[in-house]
C-alpha cells in the first residue's frame, strides 16, 4: 500500500468512527496491552484449534451471519458484529473489535495487518510459558488439513511445526480424511511428545479404543486429565470409506465414565479437549458431570469469554478458540483443596505485526515451504473485491467457486460445501494457487456434474439446512449451509425439518419438481466419484479472466429471523 492509499484508509476509518491509529506508532503499547497480563492460579492451559494448516499469517474475515435457533438464539456463539461487541464489552474500532468481528473489515485489515502464523504464535506461546511454568499447550484438531502444502505432504509439515511449537496434547477431525493408515502411522511414529487423544473413536467390530482416551499431566504438583473428543460425525460429514474400520459419535455415557475414572485416579482438574462444535459442547456440559472446562473447536467461533454451564456436578466452562491460528486461548486455573477454586480466561488475537516471528519456527516454516514456494505463489488473477469464506449462507470466495463451476462445467445449478475454513484476500490482491488451495485442498476434491430432479434438489437443501439449524445440537454437524449458484430460494431457519426451504427458482421461474437439471458440485463423500479436482476448475476460470470483479452473493431470502443477533 502506498502513502496515498494509506492516508485514504485513515481518512475513511475516521469518517466511519474507527480508531484506526497508525500501527507503527502504537504497536508496542498495543502489544503490551494485549499480551502482558498477570498470571493467575497454579495451572495454565494454552489452547488453539482449527488452524487448518495455515503456517503463515493470513487475513481472515469473521462472519456477518451466524444464526442461532431454539435455545441457541441470541447467545454465544451466535452473535455477530455490534451484537458481539456489546455482549462482551469490546470497544468498537479497536484491534479487538477487528479480531472478533467483520466490522469495517477491509479498512481495519489494512491498518492492523495479518493474523496468525506459526512463527508469531510460537513467540506468544513462549512468552506465556515463561510467565506460566508448566503450562500445557493443547491443539483442538483440524491441524493437518487446509492448505496445498499440507495436502501434498499429508500433514507432515504441520506435524513438524506442532512438535516445534511444543504441543502437548491434540485431538482430531480433518486429520482422518488422510485415511486410517496415515493417521495411525503419524500417531505412532511422527508426533514425538504430542499425545493424540480421542475417547470416542473405536473399532467398528469390537468397540475397542483406537487412540488413548485421555492424557494425564502434572502441572505444578496438580494432576490434570485431558480427555479427547474427536469430531463425532466424521463418517457422515466426510467420506466413510477413509475410515471404514472406525466408529465415532458423541458417546456421552462413555465420556462420563472416563471423567469418573480420571477423578478416581486423582485428577484435580478434568478438561475435555473437544472438536464437537460449541453448541454441542454447551449441551454436553449440561449433562456430563465433573468436567471443569471444555476447550472446544470445530465451529471456528472466536468467543472472547467462556460460557458457564450448570450441571448436576457443579459447573463447566465452555470455550471456543476460533481458527487459522488467529487466536490463542489462555485458561488460568487456581486449584485449591483438590478442586478448581477460580479461573481467569483470555482469548488472545495473534496479530503478526505485534508479535515478532520466532527465529527457529520461522526457519522451519521457510524450510518446509521452500520446495513448493514457486508453485504456491503462481499468480492466477487479481481481485477487485474482497474474497472471503465464512457465514451461514455464502461468502465471496464461495461465490467465485460457484461461478467457476457454472461456467466451466456448463451447469444450470452449482453446489459448494459449507466449509468454514479458508483465508481472505483484500481488494487489489493477487489470487495465487495457494489461495485457491486454501479453499479447496481436500483428499476428495472431485468436481462432478449430475442430473438431479427439482424434488431431489429441494431434499438436498432441506437436509443440509437441518444439519445447521436443527434445534437439538446433537443433531447438528457444525458446518455452514451448502452454497448455491444459479438457483434462488427462501430459507426459514427456525421452521421445522422439511419446511425450511421454499420458493426455489431458476432464472426467475419456479423449479419443477419433476424436471431434471444439470447440477455441478464438488467434495463427494461417496466412494468412486469421478471428476477433475475442483482447484483445476477454479484455476481455469481465473486464468481466463485475469481480473475478477467483485462477486455478487447469491443469498437466500431469510424468513422468521428478524432481530436475531446472529444476523448483521
Amino acid at each position: 500500500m502506498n502513502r496515498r492509499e494509506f492516508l485514504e484508509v485513515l481518512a475513511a476509518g475516521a469518517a466511519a468512527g474507527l480508531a484506526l491509529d497508525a500501527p507503527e506508532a502504537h504497536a508496542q503499547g498495543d502489544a503490551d496491552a494485549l499480551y502482558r497480563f498477570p498470571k493467575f492460579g497454579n495451572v495454565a492451559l494454552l489452547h488453539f484449534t482449527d488452524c487448518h494448516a495455515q503456517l503463515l499469517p493470513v487475513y481472515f474475515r469473521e462472519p456477518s451471519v451466524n444464526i442461532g435457533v431454539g435455545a441457541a438464539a441470541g447467545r454465544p456463539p451466535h452473535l455477530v458484529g455490534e451484537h458481539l461487541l456489546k455482549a462482551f464489552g469490546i470497544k468498537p474500532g479497536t484491534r479487538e473489535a477487528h479480531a472478533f468481528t467483520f466490522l469495517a473489515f477491509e479498512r481495519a485489515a489494512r491498518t492492523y495487518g495479518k493474523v496468525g502464523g506459526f512463527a508469531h504464535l510460537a513467540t506468544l506461546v513462549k512468552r506465556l510459558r515463561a510467565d506460566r511454568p508448566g503450562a500445557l499447550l493443547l491443539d483442538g484438531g483440524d491441524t493437518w488439513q487446509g492448505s496445498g502444502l499440507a495436502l501434498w505432504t499429508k500433514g507432515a509439515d504441520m506435524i513438524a511445526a506442532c512438535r516445534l511449537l511444543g504441543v502437548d496434547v491434540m485431538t482430531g477431525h480433518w486429520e482422518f480424511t488422510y485415511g486410517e493408515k496415515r493417521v495411525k502411522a503419524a500417531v505412532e511414529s511422527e508426533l514425538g511428545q504430542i499425545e493424540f487423544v480421542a475417547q470416542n473413536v473405536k473399532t467398528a467390530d469390537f468397540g475397542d479404543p483406537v487412540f488413548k482416551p485421555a492424557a494425564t499431566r502434572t502441572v505444578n504438583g496438580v494432576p490434570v486429565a485431558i480427555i479427547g473428543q474427536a469430531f463425532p460425525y466424521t463418517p457422515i460429514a466426510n467420506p466413510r470409506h477413509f475410515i471404514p474400520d472406525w466408529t465415532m459419535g458423541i458417546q456421552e455415557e462413555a465420556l462420563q465414565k472416563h471423567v469418573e475414572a480420571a477423578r478416581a485416579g486423582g485428577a484435580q482438574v478434568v478438561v475435555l479437549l473437544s472438536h464437537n462444535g460449541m453448541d454441542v459442547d454447551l449441551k454436553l456440559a449440561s449433562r456430563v458431570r465433573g468436567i471443569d472446562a471444555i476447550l472446544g473447536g470445530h465451529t471456528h467461533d472466536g468467543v472472547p469469554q467462556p460460557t458457564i454451564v450448570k450441571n448436576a456436578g457443579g459447573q463447566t466452562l465452555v470455550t471456543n478458540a476460533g481458527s487459522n491460528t488467529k487466536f490463542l486461548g489462555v485458561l488460568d486455573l487456581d486449584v485449591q483443596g483438590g478442586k478448581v477454586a477460580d479461573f481467569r480466561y483470555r482469548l488472545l488475537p495473534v496479530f503478526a505485526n505485534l508479535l515478532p516471528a520466532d527465529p527457529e519456527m520461522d526457519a522451519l516454516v521457510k524450510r518446509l515451504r521452500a520446495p513448493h514456494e514457486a508453485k504456491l505463489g503462481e499468480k492466477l488473477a487479481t481481485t477487485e473485491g474482497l474474497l472471503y469464506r465464512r457465514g451461514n449462507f455464502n461468502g465471496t470466495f464461495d461465490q467465485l467457486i460457484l461461478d467457476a463451476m457454472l461456467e466451466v462445467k456448463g451447469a444450470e445449478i452449482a453446489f459448494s460445501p459449507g466449509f468454514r475454513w479458508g483465508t481472505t484476500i483484500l481488494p487489489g490482491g493477487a489470487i495465487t494457487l495457494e489461495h485457491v488451495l486454501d479453499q479447496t485442498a481436500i483428499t476428495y476434491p472431485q468436481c462432478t456434474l449430475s442430473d438431479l430432479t427439482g424434488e431431489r434438489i429441494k431434499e438436498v437443501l432441506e437436509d443440509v439446512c437441518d444439519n445447521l439449524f436443527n434445534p437439538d445440537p446433537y443433531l447438528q454437524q457444525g458446518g455452514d449451509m451448502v452454497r448455491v449458484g444459479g438457483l434462488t430460494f427462501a430459507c426459514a431457519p427456525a421452521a421445522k425439518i422439511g419446511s425450511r426451504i421454499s420458493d426455489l427458482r431458476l432464472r426467475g421461474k419456479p423449479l419443477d419438481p419433476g424436471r431434471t437439471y444439470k447440477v455441478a458440485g464438488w467434495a463427494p463423500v461417496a466412494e468412486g466419484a469421478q471428476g477433475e479436482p475442483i482447484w483445476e476448475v477454479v484455476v481455469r476460470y481465473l486464468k481466463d479472466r485475469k481480473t475478477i470483479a467483485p462477486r455478487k452473493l447469491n443469498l437466500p431470502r431469510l424468513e422468521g429471523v428478524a432481530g436475531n443477533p446472529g444476523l448483521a
Side-chain angles (χ1 to χ4, degrees):
M1 184 166 56
N2 60 35
R3 183 176 183 277
R4 179 184 62 79
E5 291 171 330
F6 181 69
L7 292 174
E8 288 176 352
V9 167
L10 291 184
L18 288 172
L20 299 184
D21 297 324
E24 295 81 0
H26 300 282
Q28 187 57 52
D30 286 354
D32 290 345
L34 271 176
Y35 303 127
R36 290 188 180 178
F37 54 95
K39 74 172 216 175
F40 177 83
N42 49 358
V43 173
L45 304 174
L46 312 180
H47 173 234
F48 72 96
T49 189
D50 298 274
C51 76
H52 283 285
Q54 295 302 322
L55 288 172
L56 297 179
V58 299
Y59 294 113
F60 184 80
R61 179 190 183 274
E62 297 295 331
S64 51
V65 182
N66 189 4
I67 297 170
V69 297
R75 73 175 189 178
H78 301 287
L79 302 171
V80 300
E82 294 175 354
H83 301 293
L84 184 148
L85 299 183
K86 183 177 180 181
F88 293 104
I90 299 173
K91 183 179 177 181
T94 59
R95 281 185 183 271
E96 292 89 338
H98 171 53
F100 288 105
T101 73
F102 70 94
L103 297 170
F105 177 81
E106 181 186 337
R107 293 193 297 270
R110 293 192 188 278
T111 301
Y112 297 130
K114 293 184 177 182
V115 294
F118 261 61
H120 306 276
L121 177 63
T123 295
L124 181 56
V125 168
K126 287 182 177 179
R127 288 185 182 183
L128 291 166
R129 278 181 155 164
D131 290 336
R132 294 162 169 80
L136 298 178
L137 179 58
L138 310 180
D139 172 2
D142 278 5
T143 303
W144 307 351
Q145 177 276 336
S147 73
L149 183 58
L151 180 67
W152 298 335
T153 66
K154 297 183 179 179
D157 62 325
M158 299 310 302
I159 292 172
C162 286
R163 287 178 61 175
L164 182 59
L165 188 66
V167 171
D168 292 292
V169 185
M170 72 173 294
T171 192
H173 168 206
W174 274 92
E175 286 75 8
F176 301 129
T177 63
Y178 290 113
E180 291 178 3
K181 290 182 180 179
R182 170 60 186 146
V183 175
K184 288 288 284 184
V187 170
E188 292 170 1
S189 63
E190 296 178 38
L191 292 189
Q193 84 283 355
I194 304 171
E195 289 191 77
F196 192 103
V197 294
Q199 72 87 22
N200 60 328
V201 182
K202 299 176 181 178
T203 60
D205 49 7
F206 299 110
D208 296 326
V210 175
F211 306 102
K212 291 179 59 176
T216 301
R217 302 292 177 94
T218 300
V219 181
N220 300 318
V222 178
V224 179
I226 301 102
I227 302 173
Q229 179 83 354
F231 180 52
Y233 300 116
T234 302
I236 300 172
N238 306 104
R240 180 78 179 93
H241 59 89
F242 289 158
I243 49 170
D245 300 322
W246 298 349
T247 63
M248 297 188 183
I250 295 172
Q251 299 192 23
E252 187 181 282
E253 292 182 5
L255 175 59
Q256 182 68 70
K257 291 178 181 178
H258 286 300
V259 173
E260 292 168 359
R263 293 289 183 189
Q268 297 178 20
V269 177
V270 176
V271 173
L272 184 67
L273 181 59
S274 168
H275 205 88
N276 282 331
M278 190 165 179
D279 284 344
V280 176
D281 284 336
L282 290 168
K283 178 175 178 178
L284 190 75
S286 72
R287 295 162 63 92
V288 176
R289 306 174 306 281
I291 300 174
D292 293 300
I294 298 178
L295 302 182
H298 180 59
T299 41
H300 294 200
D301 300 305
V303 181
Q305 289 296 325
T307 298
I308 300 176
V309 179
K310 303 291 185 181
N311 54 52
Q315 67 179 34
T316 299
L317 309 175
V318 178
T319 73
N320 204 282
S323 65
N324 293 86
T325 64
K326 185 178 181 180
F327 297 103
L328 181 68
V330 183
L331 178 60
D332 287 326
L333 301 172
D334 183 28
V335 183
Q336 302 293 336
K339 63 181 181 180
V340 175
D342 203 355
F343 76 94
R344 299 288 185 273
Y345 181 80
R346 296 280 293 272
L347 185 57
L348 300 176
V350 181
F351 283 105
N353 63 4
L354 296 187
L355 294 162
D358 175 74
E360 191 177 7
M361 183 65 78
D362 190 51
L364 174 64
V365 171
K366 288 177 179 175
R367 186 164 66 250
L368 292 168
R369 290 177 56 86
H372 311 280
E373 197 76 58
K375 185 175 181 180
L376 290 170
E378 180 188 0
K379 181 179 176 180
L380 306 172
T382 300
T383 180
E384 295 179 337
L386 183 71
L387 291 177
Y388 65 90
R389 169 184 284 167
R390 188 65 178 90
N392 284 162
F393 296 102
N394 208 349
T396 49
F397 215 123
D398 292 306
Q399 187 65 54
L400 176 63
I401 295 172
L402 292 168
D403 294 342
M405 285 194 291
L406 288 170
E407 179 163 321
V408 174
K409 305 300 287 187
E412 298 173 276
I413 297 167
F415 288 158
S416 188
F419 295 145
R420 294 189 173 188
W421 45 272
T423 58
T424 300
I425 310 175
L426 300 185
I431 307 173
T432 65
L433 177 61
E434 183 163 27
H435 289 130
V436 173
L437 292 171
D438 284 349
Q439 312 286 334
T440 60
I442 62 175
T443 54
Y444 51 110
Q446 296 86 359
C447 183
T448 60
L449 188 63
S450 306
D451 293 326
L452 298 181
T453 65
E455 180 180 23
R456 180 58 183 150
I457 290 169
K458 183 180 186 299
E459 289 174 353
V460 169
L461 294 178
E462 287 281 8
D463 184 57
V464 179
C465 199
D466 189 61
N467 289 339
L468 178 60
F469 295 120
N470 193 298
D472 183 349
Y474 280 14
L475 299 178
Q476 298 173 4
Q477 293 179 15
D480 281 315
M481 181 64 179
V482 62
R483 281 67 165 110
V484 181
L487 179 72
T488 63
F489 63 99
C491 178
K496 295 181 179 180
I497 183 171
S499 302
R500 294 187 179 96
I501 305 298
S502 63
D503 194 24
L504 292 91
R505 294 177 178 270
L506 183 63
R507 295 185 290 273
K509 296 181 179 179
L511 202 68
D512 184 345
R515 183 192 152 188
T516 298
Y517 298 88
K518 292 287 185 183
V519 181
W522 66 283
V525 296
E527 189 172 6
Q530 300 295 314
E532 62 190 317
I534 183 61
W535 52 76
E536 292 185 4
V537 174
V538 178
V539 165
R540 195 180 318 161
Y541 182 84
L542 292 172
K543 284 184 173 180
D544 284 346
R545 274 152 190 75
K546 297 184 175 55
T547 300
I548 302 301
R551 298 292 95 177
K552 181 180 179 182
L553 291 179
N554 182 43
L555 296 168
R557 184 180 74 253
L558 296 181
E559 299 175 344
V561 292
N564 190 301
L567 181 64

